[in-house]
Amino acid sequence: MREACGIFGVYAPGEDVARITFFALFALQHRGQESAGIATSDSKKIQLFARMGLVSQVFSEESLSQLTGNIAIGHNRYSTTGSSRVCNAQPIMVGSGDNAIAVAHNGNIVNSERLHKELCEKGYIFNSSTDSEVIANLIHSAPGKDWMEKIRYAMHRIQGAYSLVILTKDTLFAVRDPFGVRPLCLGRINGFWVVASESCALDHIGALFARDIDPGEIVAIDAKGPQSYHEIVEKKATCIFEYIYFARPDSIVDGRLVYQARLAMGAQLAEEYPVDADLVIGVPDSATVAGIGYATRSGIPHGEGLMKNRYVGRTFISPDQRMRDLGVKMKFNPLPDILRNKRVVLVDDSIVRGTTTPKVINLLRKAGAKEVHMRVCAPPIRYPCFFGVDMASRWELIAAHKSVEEVRDFIGADSLGYISIDGLVKSVGLPGDTFCKACFTGDYPIPVQLEMDKLALELR
Ligand code: SF4
């Protein structure tokens, strides 16, 4: 399961804004590894550099030194709409001269087909296949006397999940959709202002966290400092998976440190599904903290029975079938001396398709584990996500068509316990009605009728 993107913006005249953005994108690399890009403005023109690859592969000393200016935005991408091609890399730039804007987007909009058609009829030509270019062109073509009015108009037309950073020649805008599906926060650096998908990016560049940007809020940052406009918000629906998996544990999302939420998920699983065992392992890295939480609450020792090779990314996976077959072995190495003859509790963040989990359990058994009891921080995922998470189509989701017992049998575990929805909400520690939980419940906060119709066809 992959998340859509990481975004960042900085308004800091006199500072090396491209380099600040580069380091912030490094900290947000976990949110997208396919492409990276930075756009800067020197108050006269916008410059853009975006390529396929990790942040460290995309930028060189030379490319960074050419990105001069007072304002910058940056983007790490994992594709959820549009294919993995350089033309889909962001930021996206539309317009020209004083009228040019660059846009970076995290999320997924559900009415992009209709808006795309409408914009094509108006004569707009698209260079990519992303919904992000639809957003950029919609803002650019919107009626309004200034960019704030144009952005507000676009917000009334767009349905779905979007956290945006927008660069005009003299202003940085940060926008969070009225449901607040994806996170976005504001920080200060050397008397200037930054915005980022996650607060961990602020920590790495020496910025101070100021606050989360509210659902429905537009923040405009220019020489006068930040000014906010709030759209009416009917219902907040932040993606609860930010706490389970996407966000880094050292990030604060909507006032809650992700590390603490994961620790509580592990403890909750120990309450809901106790078992006699000798060792608790969290699948690294996303479930490491939850593993500690389970161990602490249950009193069963926590250990590292699986080592993760953190440098195996999509980019380096060989197209060669023999290497692909190694799959999970390239990523995880079990420790037989730790696992031999042990009854193991294995804590993971989620089970999506159920393709990886049996292989991990098999690795543990081959390394000598006597029993493997699976505990999962996400309730069964039965519905796909339309808001920027590349999960799977419904027929691929194992919990959509198998009972818990059938999943247990399929993955080869001795027992299986998924956290309850109430237990998950309690662990995050924020009101339950402020989250999107649609992939567990099918109750989407934003109308997704068109997509549901496609889903029905797919299931036929
Ligand atoms: S459907 Fe699931 S993954 Fe998608 S936004 Fe909602 S909670 Fe997050």
Side-chain angles (χ1 to χ4, degrees):
M1 182 166 49
R2 303 282 178 139
E3 216 275 331
C5 304
I7 58 174
F8 179 80
V10 52
Y11 182 95
E15 303 277 335
D16 188 346
V17 289
R19 204 166 297 265
I20 293 171
T21 306
F22 170 77
F23 285 116
L25 291 182
F26 247 131
L28 296 171
Q29 187 75 83
H30 59 288
R31 295 185 76 88
Q33 295 96 39
E34 285 193 1
S35 67
I38 295 175
T40 58
S41 169
D42 59 5
S43 306
K44 293 188 193 81
K45 63 177 188 314
I46 293 175
Q47 301 177 86
L48 173 70
F49 189 88
R51 298 281 186 276
M52 303 304 290
L54 300 169
V55 177
S56 57
Q57 298 167 318
V58 167
F59 296 101
S60 63
E61 200 51 50
E62 193 190 348
S63 56
L64 282 178
S65 61
Q66 284 169 8
L67 288 165
T68 54
N70 306 322
I71 323 171
I73 62 170
H75 189 267
N76 284 334
R77 177 167 196 264
Y78 178 76
S79 57
T80 49
T81 77
S83 53
S84 181
R85 289 179 293 152
V86 71
C87 64
N88 291 333
Q90 296 188 31
I92 283 169
M93 198 169 139
V94 295
S96 59
D98 283 357
N99 219 10
I101 57 168
V103 176
H105 169 213
N106 174 203
N108 222 31
I109 61 170
V110 295
N111 62 339
S112 74
E113 270 181 34
R114 188 160 11 108
L115 294 171
H116 180 270
K117 190 165 170 273
E118 191 182 305
L119 287 160
C120 286
E121 282 164 9
K122 279 189 184 170
Y124 275 81
I125 294 166
F126 284 79
N127 297 311
S128 76
S129 52
T130 64
D131 59 347
S132 310
E133 195 178 4
V134 171
I135 295 175
N137 277 318
L138 188 68
I139 294 169
H140 190 261
S141 68
K145 66 176 182 329
D146 55 25
W147 288 112
M148 178 63 98
E149 282 193 5
K150 285 171 177 280
I151 293 167
R152 286 189 58 204
Y153 171 87
M155 283 179 83
H156 287 265
R157 301 292 320 280
I158 299 167
Q159 288 178 340
Y162 54 93
S163 281
L164 306 170
V165 281
I166 303 163
L167 176 73
T168 69
K169 77 179 168 57
D170 51 15
T171 308
L172 167 67
F173 290 91
V175 182
R176 194 171 177 197
D177 72 68
F179 293 92
V181 179
R182 297 284 149 225
L184 197 61
C185 65
L186 183 68
R188 294 215 76 170
I189 184 168
N190 301 340
F192 298 112
W193 295 92
V194 292
V195 288
S197 291
E198 289 182 38
S199 64
C200 68
L202 308 185
D203 301 334
H204 280 288
I205 58 167
L208 292 175
F209 176 80
R211 63 177 177 87
D212 289 293
I213 291 178
D214 294 328
E217 184 177 1
I218 308 169
V219 183
I221 305 170
D222 60 15
K224 298 193 287 291
Q227 293 156 69
S228 274
Y229 179 86
H230 284 84
E231 287 289 332
I232 294 164
V233 171
E234 282 165 25
K235 179 180 170 17
K236 189 168 182 272
T238 302
C239 171
I240 204 160
F241 254 103
E242 291 288 345
Y243 297 93
I244 300 170
Y245 175 76
F246 301 135
R248 261 176 44 167
D250 50 340
S251 286
I252 297 168
V253 177
D254 291 339
R256 178 72 160 148
L257 180 65
V258 174
Y259 184 97
Q260 281 175 332
R262 290 192 188 154
L263 210 54
M265 286 172 209
Q268 182 68 28
L269 278 165
E271 295 278 337
E272 292 184 13
Y273 303 100
V275 63
D276 281 336
D278 308 305
L279 180 69
V280 181
I281 298 171
V283 176
D285 292 316
S286 52
T288 303
V289 180
I292 295 169
Y294 192 103
T296 309
R297 181 63 58 93
S298 64
I300 302 167
H302 176 261
E304 289 198 77
L306 271 180
M307 286 295 140
K308 182 178 178 185
N309 177 2
R310 294 186 171 80
Y311 303 98
V312 175
R314 292 169 61 87
T315 326
F316 302 108
I317 303 262
S318 165
D320 171 68
Q321 185 62 37
R322 189 176 57 86
M323 295 304 282
R324 261 207 313 270
D325 287 345
L326 283 173
V328 106
K329 279 196 89 170
M330 286 177 68
K331 201 166 164 192
F332 296 115
N333 201 19
L335 301 178
D337 287 356
I338 305 294
L339 294 163
R340 198 167 295 119
N341 291 324
K342 297 272 170 52
R343 296 166 300 169
V344 175
V345 177
L346 182 66
V347 182
D348 205 353
D349 53 75
S350 54
I351 299 176
V352 183
R353 294 173 175 85
T355 47
T356 309
T357 312
K359 292 175 188 159
V360 176
I361 291 174
N362 197 27
L363 275 184
L364 297 184
R365 289 202 194 279
K366 277 192 174 160
K370 207 162 61 179
E371 294 173 13
V372 181
H373 301 275
M374 189 80 206
R375 301 291 179 266
V376 191
C377 296
I381 300 171
R382 300 200 165 100
Y383 301 89
C385 175
F386 300 115
F387 309 130
V389 177
D390 177 28
M391 242 170 207
S393 53
R394 190 160 189 218
W395 63 268
E396 291 173 300
L397 296 169
I398 189 166
H401 50 83
K402 284 193 196 300
S403 67
V404 173
E405 175 53 24
E406 285 168 339
V407 175
R408 184 208 60 74
D409 186 50
F410 182 83
I411 64 176
D414 292 282
S415 71
L416 167 64
Y418 289 98
I419 201 168
S420 63
I421 294 180
D422 287 349
L424 173 61
V425 169
K426 187 175 144 208
S427 305
V428 178
L430 296 169
D433 59 0
T434 61
F435 292 112
C436 174
K437 306 180 279 291
C439 45
F440 315 130
T441 62
D443 182 12
Y444 293 92
I446 304 165
V448 288
Q449 196 49 54
L450 202 64
E451 282 68 20
M452 292 303 275
D453 291 348
K454 283 186 199 159
L455 194 65
L457 282 175
E458 191 182 284
L459 287 173
R460 251 183 235 162

